[in-house]
Amino acid sequence: MRRVRRGARAAAAGEYLRGALWVLPGTAAALALLAGSLLSEVRIPPESVWYPLAFPGTADDARQVLITIASTIVTVIALVLGLTIVTLQLASTQFSPRLLRNFLRDRPNQVVLATFVATFAYSTAGLYTVRATAGADVPRLAVSGSIALAFLSLGMLVFFIHHIVHSIKIDTIVNSVVEAAVRTARDYTPKSPGVDRTGPVPPPEALALPARRSGYVQTVLPGPLLRTAAGQDAVVVVVPRVGDHVVAGTAPLALAWSRRGGPPGNAPALARALHHAVQIGPERTLQQDVMFGIRQLVDIALRALSPAVNDPYTGVQVLDRLSALLAMLGGRTLGDDVRADRTGVVRVAAAGPAFADCLDLACGQIRRYGAAEPAVCLALLRLLATAAASVTDTRRRAAVADQARLVLADAESRIARPADRAAVRELGARLLTTTAAAPPPAGPHPGREDGRRA
């Protein structure tokens, strides 16, 4: 249990550090101070082949160089931080405030800032190693290192301007979100057989285990619960999905019961194991939350389709990227994460989104906001055609057909001109003919009946 606890905390700490803007600059400053102290002790004799690379000036010249570099870098750092803040503000207002975390986690931005901070720390600390007295021994190699860092910072400034311009392009932003969501799906969902799993249904006598803190469910690691549940011959079902918000002491975080009937024998042990297995934080992350990636893409499309922006083509671009993500999800196993012990008995299940939930999140709001634009309706139908080609499960194909009917119904009522509706009708009819090859299931779609929001 201690190893599991350390592993969960390490994963949470790693996620925080990857999004912290101070980690790389702080580390770079410490390394620069260490390198400066070591180089200041190195003396290069005149006969050395490295002597031409050493700083040739006096102690006064060295101090002036270090002061100039340090003061210049402070100005550059202020410029970089100002450009970063402007970029964050632009991304928040024009695209989505949920994209700010992606910009903070951008590694090139962190590397550029780390280079500037390291140059400033190195140059400032170098003033303590250069004595201003006449005839003092100058740490020439250390001063040369400061000049080299100044040229490196100049190159990084040019790179930063290039990178910041490209980072606010809609294609770059959308592609980065899709890549992160695809990585999450590949890491936490099996590739086959492409169905939606459902966990055991809790009995009425199941014991409710509440959350200890309020926030969003960021990760669920069912492994820590397996041994505890197996030791009590119990079953534990984590109720909220990753990305859902929970309130401490109210709705149950999990339901537990004994396979022999009634509540489990040692509820406090299960509560402790649940606390270590479920990570709750103040915001949603892409650690395990594929739906959050879809949510970010949908937000961008909704901003583009709003009357204030009125940019349908950006909505179409988002739908094109969403189709690639949904095609990948169509071939993977979604739904509840069900874990069994060594004997094959199901012990732990964590609620997860079904394919129909992902499809509804990707299409629902965009359809309602953009149904009056034929280009958006056609892009939605192309997305659904791609999704239909990637799935074989009858429930998933039925979910695709349901979404296609909704698109056609909204297009009929919102698109004014019959000529504009003709292309939508034609593509929709072909899509429904394709999905009709698989009969719809008798029951409701798994994961749709509880009315969860993403």
Side-chain angles (χ1 to χ4, degrees), residues 198-444:
T198 55
V201 178
E205 66 272 12
L207 176 67
L209 301 176
R212 295 186 180 182
R213 57 179 298 188
S214 300
Y216 291 94
V217 178
Q218 295 178 337
T219 59
V220 177
L221 303 176
L225 288 170
L226 272 176
R227 181 178 300 178
T228 305
Q232 302 184 33
D233 194 20
V235 181
V236 181
V237 173
V238 180
V239 177
R241 298 186 310 208
V242 172
D244 286 350
H245 188 269
V246 296
V247 179
T250 57
L253 181 62
L255 296 173
W257 67 94
S258 174
R259 294 183 68 246
R260 296 185 297 270
N266 191 350
L270 281 176
R272 287 192 298 269
L274 178 68
H275 172 67
H276 298 312
V278 179
Q279 176 68 31
I280 298 175
E283 60 183 349
R284 296 177 68 173
T285 70
L286 273 170
Q287 286 177 272
Q288 294 182 359
D289 194 356
V290 179
M291 298 279 279
F292 186 50
I294 300 176
R295 175 76 271 164
Q296 290 178 323
L297 294 173
V298 171
D299 283 350
I300 297 174
L302 296 182
R303 291 292 179 95
L305 295 174
S306 64
V309 179
N310 195 21
D311 181 14
Y313 183 66
T314 296
V316 172
Q317 285 182 291
V318 171
L319 288 170
D320 291 339
R321 304 312 199 283
L322 277 170
S323 63
L325 178 57
L326 289 173
M328 190 274 294
L329 292 175
R332 307 190 77 86
T333 300
L334 302 175
D336 298 343
D337 186 2
V338 182
R339 303 294 180 94
D341 59 16
R342 295 179 180 179
T343 63
V345 177
V346 173
R347 296 294 183 185
V348 178
F355 183 77
D357 299 315
C358 300
L359 201 63
D360 182 68
L361 176 60
C363 299
Q365 286 186 308
I366 297 178
R367 169 178 54 80
R368 290 188 286 272
Y369 273 72
E373 173 55 49
V376 175
C377 294
L378 290 172
L380 281 168
L381 292 174
R382 289 196 300 268
L383 177 149
L384 294 171
T386 302
S390 67
V391 299
T392 56
D393 180 68
T394 56
R395 290 184 180 273
R396 293 187 174 187
R397 295 180 69 86
V400 173
D402 289 344
Q403 291 294 331
R405 295 186 186 96
L406 290 173
V407 172
L408 290 174
D410 283 353
E412 290 290 340
S413 61
R414 300 281 300 280
I415 299 177
R417 301 296 181 183
D420 294 332
R421 294 196 298 264
V424 178
R425 286 176 178 173
E426 180 181 356
L427 183 56
R430 290 203 304 267
L431 176 57
L432 290 177
T433 301
T434 302
T435 56

Side-chain angles (χ1 to χ4, degrees), residues 38-234:
L38 294 177
L39 291 177
S40 63
E41 300 298 328
V42 178
R43 298 295 183 267
I44 301 180
E47 62 274 10
S48 174
V49 296
W50 301 103
Y51 189 79
L53 299 178
F55 179 73
T58 64
D60 288 337
D61 296 335
R63 291 179 64 85
Q64 187 62 39
V65 166
L66 295 175
I67 292 172
T68 301
I69 293 176
S71 59
T72 303
I73 290 300
V74 168
T75 305
V76 173
I77 291 176
L79 172 64
V80 168
L81 291 179
L83 290 176
T84 303
I85 292 174
V86 170
T87 303
L88 294 178
Q89 184 179 10
L90 177 64
S92 175
T93 55
Q94 185 171 352
F95 301 117
S96 170
R98 278 164 284 278
L99 292 172
L100 294 182
R101 185 179 181 86
N102 298 7
F103 282 94
L104 292 176
R105 291 168 59 92
D106 188 32
R107 191 63 68 187
N109 290 341
Q110 297 178 1
V111 171
V112 169
L113 185 58
T115 303
F116 295 152
V117 172
T119 303
F120 173 79
Y122 184 97
S123 302
T124 304
L127 294 172
Y128 288 91
T129 64
V130 179
R131 295 181 177 85
T133 58
D137 189 14
V138 179
R140 303 182 184 279
L141 187 61
V143 177
S144 299
S146 180
I147 297 175
L149 284 176
F151 278 100
L152 177 61
S153 298
L154 178 62
M156 295 301 287
L157 177 61
V158 176
F159 167 77
F160 175 76
I161 296 175
H162 166 82
H163 175 72
I164 207 69
V165 170
H166 282 271
S167 65
I168 58 177
K169 292 171 58 180
I170 183 63
D171 294 312
T172 303
I173 294 174
V174 172
N175 288 336
S176 65
V177 175
V178 171
E179 290 171 2
V182 167
R183 284 195 301 268
T184 300
R186 288 176 177 171
D187 291 341
Y188 293 99
T189 59
K191 186 175 181 179
S192 58
V195 296
D196 298 322
R197 294 181 300 189
T198 55
V201 178
E205 66 272 12
L207 176 67
L209 301 176
R212 295 186 180 182
R213 57 179 298 188
S214 300
Y216 291 94
V217 178
Q218 295 178 337
T219 59
V220 177
L221 303 176
L225 288 170
L226 272 176
R227 181 178 300 178
T228 305
Q232 302 184 33
D233 194 20

